[in-house]
Amino acid sequence: MLILCLLLVTAGGSLFLYKWLDLGVPIKADNAIGAWTVEARIRFSAQSGKPVKVRFAVPLRPPGFALLDETFVSSGYGLSTAVQDGDREALWAIRRARGEQELYYQAVVYPARDTAQSTGSRPPSVEPPQFSDAQAAVVASLVEQIRAHSADIATFAVETLQRLGARDNSDINLLLTGDDSPQRRAEVAAGILATANIAARPVYGFQLQKEGRRLPLLTRLEVHNGERWLSLDPLSGAQGQPDDFLVWSRGKPPLRDSDGVRHLRLEFSAAENTYEALAAARQRAAERGSLALQFSLLSLPVQMQMVYRVVLTMPLGALIIVLLRNVVGIKAFGTFAPILIALAFRETRLLNGILLFTGIVALGLGARFYMERLKLLLVPRLASVLTVVVLMMAMLSVLTYQLGIGAGLSVALFPMVILTMTIERMSIGWEEAGPREALQQAGGSLLAASLAYLVMTERQVQHLVFMFPELLLIVLAITLAMGRYTGYRLTELRRFKALAG
């Protein structure tokens, strides 16, 4: 039994942790996550009589983010995308175009804990750039000096960027060719590192904002240390990429190539929005080829999903009944009767349900006592009680409706057979063990149904068992473990208090 329970807990807990931590399935009912809608707007004037082609880089697994959705807006243009050398490009083309043209690319990105691009990747092959003879001599001298003042690839890259920041240095000015921008520094640094056989590349992107228009394109330097890519600020050499920096392209600026266009302009904008974390988790599971969400309750029609949101809470209600009866020692009519009554409370609400349940049981019990005088057999007696219960429910519905009490109509949702059996059991208990025992069992059933109702209707509980039905394996393990419990109930501790003293 112990091994079985441990296996159930391990299986349920492992699948739960995998879906939560790895796939990102939300554990909170309020599963909205912060995400950004980013947009690239390309504007240009088409040259009359010439075909137009625009090649543009689009995000591909940006570090720290994951792509949730993307849209290309290009009326009349042919569109194709391709992945090459770890970068992704979109090519817009049209045979004829006139006047001002606009192309849009829109994507939704959200923060992600890890990406294959930043960790566990192999360094690419390094091809030293072509320098002029004078620049090549300066680079060779710099590489020797930097190597003497560095210990590893990271410190080599930092030392390179710091030396490129030295002003009034003729050798550095020769390399930067009068352009001291971050982009130029990153390009020259990548060339120096390539000469030292170190993989490096400039990356282009921008910092996300809640509402940002015409966001400036920023440049950073990525260096591969043999295990992963390191991000450095090309001006200060500081390591680490800001959390809100979205890498748009690598190696080259986003606008790669164009034909038949003039006055080419590019603008970026971003706006923060909220999206469902579940949509992000499903996207992540699809990218990884995981079947955990493909063969889940989410694949069912919506109506069936609504049914299972209720049904999956029933084992929790049953567990509460087990705890109340086997651990606390509360007496109740059966196991399933309180659960079904709790389900009826979902429609009547708790207070209305308790009043209606108490009223019908009290009236039905009176009718049952009268039938006892008729000396009926069991089946006809139960059928008679059922008929009386149905008539009382119908009368109560009509009466409350005429009085303008809408809550009374929900009495029709009570399980009639369960009410009938409750009345029958209470009647038998009344005759055999006395009114006190019968009332205790009725009160225990009502208490168990109320507690089960509070748990089963809790929105967070419904969300957890629906998104992670494997948690019911843990509920099953607890129930099986409770099946072997033969110790004292809490109520019995009070009963045998004198013996303990």
Side-chain angles (χ1 to χ4, degrees):
M1 176 63 75
L2 179 60
I3 295 176
L4 176 61
C5 293
L6 290 177
L7 287 176
L8 290 173
V9 171
T10 303
S14 300
L15 187 55
F16 165 72
L17 292 176
Y18 167 70
K19 291 169 67 176
W20 174 34
L21 298 178
D22 199 35
L23 297 182
V25 177
I27 61 172
K28 294 183 178 179
D30 183 12
N31 58 3
I33 62 171
W36 283 268
T37 301
V38 296
E39 182 183 88
R41 179 188 184 193
I42 304 172
R43 303 169 63 189
F44 57 87
S45 299
Q47 296 181 5
S48 59
K50 291 185 177 180
V52 173
K53 290 197 300 184
V54 176
R55 194 183 303 276
F56 179 67
V58 293
L60 176 66
R61 296 191 294 274
F65 293 92
L67 192 64
L68 181 60
D69 192 16
E70 63 178 1
T71 306
F72 295 86
V73 179
S74 51
S75 178
Y77 280 76
L79 172 67
S80 62
T81 60
V83 176
Q84 187 174 8
D85 297 332
D87 221 359
R88 184 164 172 251
E89 294 181 347
L91 175 63
W92 282 287
I94 192 171
R95 178 72 63 179
R96 294 179 180 177
R98 300 177 59 184
E100 288 291 323
Q101 302 290 311
E102 290 184 340
L103 305 174
Y104 289 90
Y105 170 78
Q106 191 177 82
V108 178
V109 297
Y110 63 94
R113 281 190 292 272
D114 60 347
T115 62
Q117 192 69 18
S118 59
T119 60
S121 59
R122 295 181 178 178
S125 58
V126 179
E127 295 183 3
Q130 296 294 327
F131 289 111
S132 66
D133 293 342
Q135 290 177 329
V138 172
V139 169
S141 175
L142 275 176
V143 168
E144 292 300 324
Q145 296 174 28
I146 295 171
R147 183 170 287 134
H149 291 82
S150 60
D152 51 20
I153 293 178
T155 55
F156 190 103
V158 173
E159 182 69 16
T160 301
L161 291 172
Q162 290 178 348
R163 288 179 179 263
L164 289 177
R167 298 181 178 179
D168 302 328
N169 186 312
S170 58
D171 290 344
I172 299 301
N173 291 334
L174 177 64
L175 294 176
L176 296 178
T177 61
D179 184 359
D180 195 29
S181 65
Q183 178 179 346
R184 181 59 183 167
R185 286 198 193 186
E187 292 171 350
V188 172
I192 296 174
L193 291 166
T195 304
N197 201 30
I198 298 174
R201 61 191 179 188
V203 296
Y204 303 87
F206 51 84
Q207 286 188 297
L208 297 169
Q209 300 178 9
K210 287 189 175 180
E211 292 183 1
R213 293 183 177 181
R214 298 180 180 178
L215 298 173
L217 189 65
L218 306 177
T219 307
R220 296 186 65 82
L221 179 67
E222 280 190 348
V223 181
H224 204 288
N225 65 355
E227 297 178 353
R228 61 190 181 93
W229 289 100
L230 305 176
S231 180
L232 294 94
D233 186 336
L235 296 181
S236 65
Q239 294 187 43
Q241 179 173 295
D243 294 337
D244 57 354
F245 184 82
L246 176 66
V247 173
W248 194 275
S249 65
R250 302 176 176 88
K252 301 177 183 177
L255 273 176
R256 298 294 168 80
D257 192 14
S258 62
D259 288 329
V261 305
R262 295 179 300 178
H263 309 302
L264 189 60
R265 290 150 290 173
L266 173 62
E267 294 178 359
F268 290 104
S269 59
E272 187 176 11
N273 295 303
T274 56
Y275 291 84
E276 287 191 356
L278 179 59
R282 300 182 74 168
Q283 179 74 15
R284 191 179 297 116
E287 291 175 354
R288 299 180 182 181
S290 174
L291 301 179
L293 295 184
Q294 183 178 353
F295 290 94
S296 68
L297 295 171
L298 297 170
S299 61
L300 296 177
V302 176
Q303 291 186 353
M304 290 304 299
Q305 291 185 27
M306 300 303 292
V307 171
Y308 276 104
R309 282 183 184 275
V310 177
V311 171
L312 290 174
T313 60
M314 294 180 68
L316 296 175
L319 178 61
I320 291 175
I321 304 302
V322 171
L323 293 174
L324 288 177
R325 295 189 61 168
N326 289 31
V327 178
V328 180
I330 291 181
K331 299 177 181 178
F333 293 125
T335 302
F336 299 107
I339 299 176
L340 295 177
I341 294 171
L343 288 176
F345 285 172
R346 289 172 52 86
E347 305 298 332
T348 62
R349 297 293 181 261
L350 184 58
L351 182 58
N352 295 331
I354 292 175
L355 294 176
L356 292 172
F357 177 83
T358 305
I360 292 176
V361 170
L363 294 174
L365 194 60
R368 170 64 178 78
F369 285 148
Y370 174 75
M371 291 179 189
E372 185 65 25
R373 299 180 181 178
L374 302 179
K375 307 297 182 182
L376 300 176
L377 297 177
L378 176 61
V379 176
R381 188 176 66 215
L382 288 176
S384 302
V385 174
L386 176 64
T387 303
V388 171
V389 168
V390 171
L391 288 174
M392 285 191 299
M393 293 171 64
M395 292 175 60
L396 192 58
S397 295
V398 173
L399 181 62
T400 54
Y401 179 74
Q402 293 296 332
L403 295 176
I405 305 174
L409 295 174
S410 57
V411 69
L413 300 172
F414 269 113
M416 290 164 282
V417 175
I418 295 299
L419 282 173
T420 302
M421 295 306 298
T422 301
I423 293 171
E424 178 67 16
R425 289 188 179 186
M426 192 171 178
S427 172
I428 295 174
W430 193 294
E431 294 173 354
E432 295 180 352
R436 181 178 180 181
E437 180 70 16
L439 291 174
Q440 281 184 348
Q441 292 190 15
S445 298
L446 208 53
L447 175 63
S450 301
L451 292 176
Y453 162 81
L454 294 176
V455 173
M456 293 165 63
T457 55
E458 173 60 33
R459 184 166 173 257
Q460 181 64 35
V461 173
Q462 290 182 349
H463 172 80
L464 281 176
V465 295
F466 183 76
M467 291 296 170
F468 306 95
E470 57 274 6
L471 291 177
L472 294 184
L473 293 177
I474 300 177
V475 173
L476 175 59
I478 298 174
T479 307
L480 290 174
M482 293 305 303
R484 290 291 186 91
Y485 178 74
T486 56
Y488 285 108
R489 277 72 167 174
L490 294 179
T491 54
E492 291 176 338
L493 293 177
R494 181 182 179 184
R495 178 182 175 188
F496 297 109
K497 185 178 179 180
L499 294 177

